[in-house]
Amino acid sequence: SLATQVELGSGQRRRLCQAIPGDGANDSTDSRNHPGRRRSHAVMSGASTARGVIFCISVGMSAFFVALLFMTPTLALLVLPQTRGAFRAINDVIIGGWFHFVVGLLETLNGVKMQVVGDAVDPNERTLIIMNHRTRLDWLFLWAFIVRHGRPNQEKIVLKASLKNVPGAGWGLQLCAYLFLYRKWKKDKEHMVRLLTYFTQSNYPLQLLIFPEGTDFCPNTKRSSDRFADKAGVRRYDYVLHPRTKGFATCAMLLRGHNYKLLNLSIGYKDEVPDNEKAMVTGAFPREVHVHIERHDLDSLPDSVAGLEEWCRAKWEVKEDFVREFYEGKDKCFPGKHLPDANAAVFWKVNFALVLWWGIMGGSVYMLWAYSLSRWWLLLSSLIYIAGCLGGGFDVLEPLLAVPTLPHLPELDDADAAATSTTTAAAKKAQ
């Protein structure tokens, strides 16, 4: 997810991503069910729209209030090494509870169902998770998988750095040690090495999700993927994007030797494909989200960056056909036996979280209305987070305090040197 790519402005990219493929003569598919098609959402009923609005308000307000009113005081625990573990544990519990709340909103309020097939997993395993990036909201729906087959408290996601500046949610995720990347390899590599070294040295039971494609599937990103395929002389993909393998390979190298499993997930949406936040507001939620699991021992994968990159590219070629069969098949489901929930009482947990977090939201609103001290605390917390963002973010501060000196990793340095040499040689040849 760290390969260099020319980025369009957000407004231009948004317009391009709303285009419909199949308009050009060179488009290889024009199926109504093609995942690259930005379909017009069916006219939603008033009840569906109301549920969508409640979902968005609940997610936004809960993230904002919890981050500013309850998570901010934990920053004091970062100062001393003796209390740093408490800082991580408290914020992990908060984010785990919020995961259950969001899943409750998806399933109980909006009727989304999660179907999981494939290899059985142990939720207590340390895992590196890779998955195709169908929409910009995949990570949200994957939380329904995590509460069933993982550990929500220790789940971390590789996200683009701009998201950590989002008031409320982004600020809170900084304190939860999510891995934010700028797509500037030197800077991102240093942060990735430091954070994952912090997790391995502290024996943290990490579950890390990374999207090797680096961005979600839409007409504009598909065109970029096609240009890469044509330049590299490889096959064009219609249902996934060609992966940017350097970020995945670096994560895998850093986690090797620490008893990690790799979960290769494929995600598909049976009916509605939630392209963006607007779809959520209108209540255009998918009825079913399907996930297929392929499980590997991470240490059984190639032991070099180049080998891991080639392994990932080969898996993505298989994934292209696998996801194609899902969308073009009659039943729209992945093959395999349905897996029962690995974590017990998920239904009761997510519904308890609904009641609890709506109560927290109501209590927060009352506190802000009734007590001026709460309003002053909200202002102070906002200023603290803004100052933190200007300084690089609290997500950077935590591993920096724990790992002030970066470890020497010759295998990663050698891979970078080889990549630079190859790029320089290609440039000279082009001249």
Side-chain angles (χ1 to χ4, degrees):
S1 63
L2 303 173
T4 302
Q5 180 187 23
V6 176
E7 292 292 330
L8 296 171
S10 59
Q12 185 180 1
R13 183 182 183 277
R14 192 177 301 114
R15 291 192 296 272
L16 287 169
C17 286
Q18 290 170 347
I20 294 181
D23 297 336
N26 294 328
D27 286 330
S28 57
T29 61
D30 190 20
S31 167
R32 288 178 298 173
N33 295 317
H34 189 279
R37 177 178 289 277
R38 260 24 185 184
R39 296 181 293 143
S40 298
H41 293 291
V43 177
M44 295 291 116
S45 68
S48 296
T49 302
R51 288 193 295 267
V53 171
I54 292 172
F55 174 87
C56 294
I57 292 175
S58 297
V59 170
M61 286 184 61
S62 62
F64 188 80
F65 286 145
V66 171
L68 273 70
L69 296 179
F70 302 105
M71 297 178 76
T72 306
T74 67
L75 284 169
L77 299 174
L78 266 179
V79 178
L80 298 176
Q82 295 85 347
T83 57
R84 209 164 287 147
F87 168 83
R88 174 65 18 244
I90 292 171
N91 287 298
D92 283 352
V93 170
I94 292 174
I95 193 66
W98 193 65
F99 264 35
H100 284 85
F101 174 60
V102 175
V103 173
L105 291 171
L106 287 172
E107 298 185 351
T108 303
L109 181 66
N110 290 285
V112 178
K113 294 182 179 180
M114 171 64 64
Q115 301 290 337
V116 181
V117 300
D119 298 334
V121 296
D122 181 350
N124 295 314
E125 290 178 334
R126 305 175 186 193
T127 54
L128 174 61
I129 304 172
I130 58 175
M131 190 175 79
N132 59 305
H133 205 352
R134 169 56 192 89
T135 85
R136 56 196 279 180
L137 300 171
D138 289 323
W139 51 271
L140 183 67
F141 291 97
L142 192 68
W143 289 353
F145 167 84
I146 296 298
V147 300
R148 288 172 166 79
H149 300 279
R151 291 189 313 279
N153 292 19
Q154 284 81 37
E155 174 71 10
K156 313 299 176 190
I157 306 176
V158 179
L159 298 170
K160 60 183 180 181
S162 59
L163 293 175
K164 72 178 179 179
N165 298 321
V166 176
W171 295 346
L173 293 180
Q174 288 184 40
L175 271 61
C176 294
Y178 276 46
L179 181 51
F180 294 99
L181 301 180
Y182 292 85
R183 292 182 180 173
K184 298 178 180 178
W185 176 235
K186 184 177 179 179
K187 182 176 183 178
D188 289 337
K189 176 187 173 185
E190 179 178 323
H191 179 46
M192 184 179 291
V193 169
R194 195 184 303 275
L195 182 60
L196 295 187
T197 299
Y198 166 49
F199 283 140
T200 55
Q201 287 183 353
S202 60
N203 202 29
Y204 185 83
L206 175 68
Q207 294 188 330
L208 179 65
L209 168 64
I210 183 171
F211 296 100
E213 292 162 308
T215 188
D216 62 294
F217 190 110
C218 74
N220 178 51
T221 56
K222 183 187 182 311
R223 284 190 286 271
S224 296
S225 179
D226 288 346
R227 287 194 293 270
F228 167 82
D230 294 343
K231 184 177 180 179
V234 296
R235 167 190 174 191
R236 286 188 175 191
Y237 292 158
D238 296 315
Y239 288 82
V240 299
L241 304 174
H242 280 277
R244 307 171 183 181
T245 53
K246 186 181 290 186
F248 156 73
T250 301
C251 287
M253 289 296 293
L254 290 167
L255 297 177
R256 285 182 66 88
H258 295 281
N259 196 28
Y260 274 77
K261 306 300 179 184
L262 182 134
L263 302 184
N264 177 19
L265 304 185
S266 299
I267 192 168
Y269 300 89
K270 190 167 185 177
D271 39 29
E272 285 291 341
V273 179
D275 301 325
N276 50 43
E277 292 79 2
K278 182 180 179 181
M280 297 282 191
V281 176
T282 60
F285 290 86
R287 296 302 90 188
E288 292 183 10
V289 180
H290 290 249
V291 172
H292 179 273
I293 306 173
E294 181 183 285
R295 179 176 174 272
H296 301 269
D297 188 329
L298 184 60
D299 290 348
S300 70
L301 272 57
D303 60 357
S304 67
V305 171
L308 286 165
E309 290 183 317
E310 183 57 36
W311 181 91
C312 184
R313 285 190 286 267
K315 284 295 179 182
W316 242 249
E317 185 168 11
V318 174
K319 192 181 293 289
E320 159 70 11
D321 296 327
F322 198 61
V323 177
R324 178 191 296 274
E325 291 175 5
F326 174 89
Y327 282 104
E328 295 185 359
K330 180 180 179 180
D331 297 325
K332 284 192 174 59
C333 62
F334 292 119
K337 183 179 179 180
H338 174 73
L339 296 178
D341 294 346
N343 290 325
V346 170
F347 173 81
W348 298 108
K349 289 178 181 178
V350 299
N351 284 284
F352 173 76
L354 274 179
V355 176
L356 174 64
W357 283 77
W358 271 332
I360 291 174
M361 289 167 55
S364 299
V365 172
Y366 175 76
M367 287 171 58
L368 290 172
W369 173 76
Y371 302 105
S372 60
L373 181 62
S374 297
R375 296 190 290 274
W376 281 108
W377 177 254
L378 192 73
L379 176 61
L380 176 61
S381 295
S382 299
L383 294 175
I384 289 173
Y385 282 116
I386 291 172
C389 290
L390 294 175
F394 293 111
D395 58 306
V396 176
L397 178 62
E398 182 183 359
L400 182 62
L401 291 173
V403 187
T405 303
L406 284 176
H408 178 57
L409 300 170
E411 61 273 18
L412 296 182
D413 296 336
D414 292 345
D416 285 348
T420 301
S421 177
T422 301
T423 302
T424 303
K428 290 182 178 179
K429 185 177 180 180
Q431 293 175 352

